[in-house]
Amino acid sequence: MSKSYRDGLPISPENFVDQLMRLKRGSIGRRDFLGLTGLGIATAVMAREIGIMPTPAFAAENLGDRMSIATWPNYHDPATFENFKKDTGVAVEVNVFGSNEEMLAKLQAGASGWSLFVPTNYTISTYKKLGIIEPLEMAKLPNFDGSQEDPRFTSEGTIDAVTYAVPKNWGTTGFAVNTKKLTKPMTSWKEFWDTAMAEGDSRTMVHDYQLTTIGNALKYYGYSFNSLKPDELAKAEELLLKVKPHLFAVSSDYQPGMRAGDAWMTMCWTNDGAQLHRDIPEIAYVLGKEGGEIWTDFYAIPKDAPNKPAGYALLNYLMNPQVAVKEHLANGAPSTDARVNKVLPKEVLDNPILYPAADLLTPLEFGAAATLTDPGRAELMARFKSA
Amino acid sequence: MHGSRLRKNLLTAMLLGPATAWLVVFLVLPFIAIAVFSVGERAPEGGYQAAFTFAQYANLPARATAFWNTMVLAPVGALACLLVAYPVAYYLALKAPQRWRLILLALVVIPFWTSLLMRTYAWMYVLGGRGIPALLAFVGIEDVRLINTPGAVLLGIVYGYLPLMILPIYVSLERLDRRLLEASADLGATPISTFLGVTLKLSLPGVMTGFSLVMILLLGEYLIPTLLGGGKVFFIGNALVDLFLQSRNWPFGSAIAITLVLVSVVVLIAANRISTRVSGARRVDLI
């Protein structure tokens, strides 16, 4: 018998008449009535909106219907937020930022509107000092398992035994090269800066970010990425001013330029490097052998978060290894969570962009809190940009 | 008689009330806040800390390049706009057929319905490697780079601010008494000297209005240089964004903002003076 268009309808006409007659006889369950009329769904939605009835998945608290997260460009699998909305009814608004300083400035100014944000390791102590970050109630994050985290990457989320942030992923800062345009193999920051003034003239990008742009200029001379020494910073400034006229752009949003072929080389974070290489195989990711930056990005909740329940709910959702795996596959940065690394496909774990050789990782430095807030480095960056 | 004056005053107050409230809330109060910030100090972790010092103003030379770049960008950008806008306005006001005029004017205004940010992003795509350079590569001209050049910035400025220049010039040309043109011709002037001596001169108030409008907005511009210029050249707008968002030195940022406002006022007054002198008694009533 061929399928009728009626198959799969919520209720068949016959069934409807039956129910109607039962209703007329006065015998109908409340559930039937609500289901039949659609009033049930309507009340449930209304109740959730105005906070009378909790959502089934998070019965303890009302999550509201929207929240906002501050994060980085090209950083999440969009499906994550769609699925979260499907599960909880909470729509996630994504605010994208170019630097930790900008995030800090917004939070400092107050009423950022975020219920979750993604700070980098070295900023967390500053947030704590300023009292604008929430100590996390770990009981609300059953999906997080501290014993599965690598403390090398995650220690900066915890200050005086209080956890203020839990890790999203870690990564490095290297550079991406279009090897079809710049054919000479490169392995160091010295080559990066020298190439920028030669074959890579007017095709090279550096970050609009003092931490990495000054830090990697310092590496040209083998100084510490975090140096605050005036004489070393003066050498870095001299190099930056010399390179400046040869640059294509000073911008932290370098994927469009690299993908369009306008830029041939750029300072680059692991996740962007992995995405670029995945889509355009001739774009290689290089770690300077002199060292440079290693980082961990965390999730944290601002003290003035307008929707903390939803912030916790999304954070807990993101800590689910099944969700995290999809995030890592989309974003490209390596995980700090052993449970996630266990599930990631072999080709990801073998990808040298994500999990570089030990001899390249050893010289890398975590950015320091003092480096972020140092006015001297801020002024140096301004002089570089205004030159 | 006394009552009618009272009523007149009341009416004046009612009519001016909304605009005055708007000005106070969105201009005067923020201006006072910024002025207070500008004599403060940067807090150790960034932001503002109460103090009374003019150290931030003494530090202004540290952004001399940004001021200089802006002082060049604003008049050059406004001049480029003017050169493109004048012929268009001239055609619209004096040559276009009457029934087309409204449609053509609408075409000038319609781009304003979309945010400048969106339109500038569109230019990023057109000028970027997958836009015009890809077309050029198709016909054999390889590796042309258009985006992140001074030309791209100038193009973006002319594109973004053109309507602001066209409309005031159009208005002043539209009011032009055609009989003056005939009189000039009757008295033996060539079309060129009629244009220079009559048309251009009488449209100068519009030109000055457009020029100062565009120039004042350009003094605060940072979007176009960032998006189409690659953030390589630093303008006051960019310096402000950096000071408030990156190095979080709010007092210094405030001092620069106050200075920028003062510069804008000077520019306005100068524009007014020039316009008054050139076109006789007619003034550009911008302030």
Side-chain angles (χ1 to χ4, degrees):
Chain A
M1 200 182 127
S2 68
K3 274 184 89 112
S4 160
Y5 72 92
R6 294 194 185 106
D7 293 348
L9 286 180
I11 183 168
S12 70
E14 295 80 12
N15 201 348
F16 177 74
V17 173
D18 280 355
Q19 298 275 7
L20 195 65
M21 295 323 278
R22 254 173 59 206
L23 178 66
K24 269 181 87 174
R25 293 195 302 272
S27 101
I28 183 169
R30 182 185 70 103
R31 184 178 293 270
D32 288 340
F33 175 73
L34 293 179
L36 273 177
T37 55
L39 271 175
I41 300 169
T43 356
V45 170
M46 287 296 289
R48 189 184 294 175
E49 288 288 322
I50 58 183
I52 298 168
M53 217 166 82
T55 57
F58 299 87
E61 276 179 290
N62 169 45
L63 296 181
D65 63 353
R66 68 198 62 206
M67 65 166 283
S68 143
I69 178 173
T71 183
W72 310 113
N74 317 304
Y75 214 54
H76 297 272
D77 181 354
T80 303
F81 300 126
E82 280 160 30
N83 292 333
F84 180 72
K85 189 182 177 208
K86 253 180 242 155
D87 288 1
T88 63
V90 180
V92 181
E93 184 202 45
V94 180
N95 294 298
V96 171
F97 280 77
S99 75
N100 276 287
E101 285 91 333
E102 276 176 55
M103 275 192 190
L104 175 53
K106 273 265 184 173
L107 275 181
Q108 242 179 325
S112 65
W114 313 329
S115 298
L116 195 63
F117 73 116
V118 189
T120 307
N121 46 289
Y122 47 83
T123 63
I124 294 166
S125 60
T126 306
Y127 283 120
K128 192 228 155 193
K129 209 187 295 173
L130 294 170
I132 48 181
I133 188 174
E134 163 110 341
L136 292 179
E137 288 176 48
M138 300 311 285
K140 290 187 179 166
L141 304 172
N143 284 341
F144 175 73
D145 183 352
S147 70
Q148 299 295 308
E149 301 284 347
D150 182 341
R152 172 174 185 207
F153 300 120
T154 63
S155 57
E156 283 175 271
T158 305
I159 302 164
D160 302 331
V162 178
T163 304
Y164 289 90
V166 289
K168 168 163 173 61
N169 45 231
W170 66 278
T172 55
T173 309
F175 54 94
V177 190
N178 186 327
T179 53
K180 272 207 180 138
K181 300 291 187 185
L182 299 170
T183 47
K184 201 174 71 186
M186 280 185 276
T187 57
S188 69
W189 282 113
K190 185 163 189 322
E191 285 163 321
F192 173 88
W193 294 110
D194 287 338
T195 305
M197 292 182 276
E199 305 95 304
D201 185 13
S202 79
R203 299 287 185 172
T204 303
M205 291 177 79
V206 300
H207 290 164
D208 185 0
Y209 193 21
Q210 62 88 358
L211 184 87
T212 44
T213 291
I214 298 176
N216 292 322
L218 286 161
K219 293 320 287 184
Y220 185 92
Y221 303 98
Y223 301 142
S224 163
F225 180 84
N226 284 307
S227 176
L228 300 176
K229 291 184 190 144
D231 54 326
E232 296 183 356
L233 287 173
K235 291 283 278 183
E237 182 170 357
E238 194 185 305
L239 172 68
L240 286 173
L241 293 180
K242 209 165 68 176
V243 173
K244 176 81 189 286
H246 301 281
L247 290 177
F248 170 67
V250 181
S251 167
S252 303
D253 192 14
Y254 41 85
Q255 282 212 30
M258 287 298 284
R259 285 175 188 268
D262 290 316
W264 296 346
M265 183 166 77
T266 180
M267 275 184 197
C268 183
W269 288 293
T270 298
N271 44 304
D272 290 297
Q275 287 172 24
L276 285 167
H277 181 72
R278 179 187 66 204
D279 301 340
I280 307 170
E282 66 253 32
I283 295 184
Y285 180 74
V286 181
L287 279 180
K289 63 181 179 207
E290 306 97 327
E293 190 197 14
I294 185 170
W295 48 265
T296 307
D297 281 343
F298 288 79
Y299 288 114
I301 296 180
K303 210 159 228 168
D304 66 353
N307 191 351
K308 272 184 200 163
Y312 274 106
L314 178 59
L315 179 50
N316 190 48
Y317 181 77
L318 289 161
M319 288 295 129
N320 177 345
Q322 302 305 320
V323 175
V325 163
K326 285 188 212 138
E327 281 275 292
H328 286 288
L329 292 177
N331 157 308
S335 172
T336 60
D337 188 336
R339 298 174 301 171
V340 174
N341 281 330
K342 237 174 260 162
V343 207
L344 280 172
K346 192 177 172 312
E347 66 265 25
V348 172
L349 297 172
D350 288 346
N351 184 345
I353 297 180
L354 274 57
Y355 297 90
D359 61 322
L360 284 170
L361 278 184
T362 317
L364 300 180
E365 299 165 76
F366 278 99
T371 315
L372 175 78
T373 50
D374 181 56
R377 282 180 68 128
E379 275 302 300
L380 198 172
M381 190 68 187
R383 286 197 295 272
F384 161 64
K385 281 167 71 179
S386 69
Chain B
M1 175 150 174
H2 191 73
S4 90
R5 188 197 286 167
L6 191 72
R7 205 173 329 143
K8 205 174 147 201
N9 285 346
L10 196 68
L11 186 69
T12 310
M14 271 170 59
L15 289 176
L16 291 180
T20 312
W22 193 89
L23 273 179
V24 168
V25 173
F26 294 109
L27 187 75
V28 178
L29 292 181
F31 190 82
I32 291 171
I34 293 289
V36 170
F37 275 178
S38 75
V39 292
E41 278 172 350
R42 181 187 193 270
E45 304 294 340
Y48 162 77
Q49 182 170 290
F52 189 76
T53 163
F54 290 98
Q56 307 300 343
Y57 288 94
N59 199 20
L60 282 177
R63 291 294 183 278
T65 326
F67 274 98
W68 172 249
N69 286 340
T70 307
M71 293 306 142
V72 174
L73 174 88
V76 169
L79 193 67
C81 272
L82 176 62
L83 292 179
V84 179
Y86 200 94
V88 178
Y90 186 84
Y91 176 80
L92 279 177
L94 299 173
K95 300 281 172 207
Q98 192 67 44
R99 62 202 163 101
W100 285 104
R101 199 168 288 174
L102 264 182
I103 297 171
L104 292 173
L105 267 178
L107 288 178
V108 171
V109 178
I110 281 172
F112 258 89
W113 296 355
T114 314
S115 127
L116 180 64
L117 182 67
M118 301 295 290
R119 288 181 281 134
T120 309
Y121 266 112
W123 275 112
M124 274 175 84
Y125 188 85
V126 171
L127 298 176
R130 288 164 174 170
I132 296 171
L135 282 176
L136 291 175
F138 187 71
V139 296
I141 307 166
E142 294 283 344
D143 283 341
V144 174
R145 194 167 69 78
L146 300 175
I147 189 87
N148 295 2
T149 55
V153 175
L154 205 59
L155 178 80
I157 286 170
V158 169
Y159 172 78
Y161 291 97
L162 198 55
L164 288 179
M165 188 67 94
I166 291 180
L167 293 177
I169 300 176
Y170 167 80
V171 170
S172 64
L173 283 174
E174 220 253 329
R175 285 191 307 214
L176 191 73
D177 189 341
R178 311 278 172 113
R179 287 171 304 182
L180 293 175
L181 302 180
E182 285 163 28
S184 172
D186 287 348
L187 293 170
T190 60
I192 290 174
S193 55
T194 301
F195 173 76
L196 292 176
V198 181
T199 315
L200 182 63
K201 199 159 181 195
L202 288 175
S203 68
L204 269 179
V207 169
M208 289 315 293
T209 308
F211 200 84
S212 15
L213 256 181
V214 171
M215 196 151 143
I216 284 157
L217 290 173
L218 279 176
L219 286 175
E221 178 63 47
Y222 84 100
L223 186 79
I224 295 172
T226 305
L227 294 182
L228 298 179
K232 282 182 298 179
V233 185
F234 214 53
F235 297 98
I236 295 178
N238 305 87
L240 288 174
V241 170
D242 262 42
L243 281 166
F244 279 95
L245 294 182
Q246 293 264 350
S247 44
R248 297 189 324 290
N249 191 345
W250 295 2
F252 191 27
S254 303
I256 289 179
I258 295 277
T259 313
L260 181 60
V261 170
L262 295 179
V263 170
S264 307
V265 170
V266 170
V267 168
L268 266 178
I269 292 172
N272 234 338
R273 287 275 163 79
I274 295 170
S275 159
T276 315
R277 186 176 314 160
V278 176
S279 59
R282 292 174 71 180
R283 291 171 53 93
V284 189
D285 288 321
L286 274 173
I287 48 171

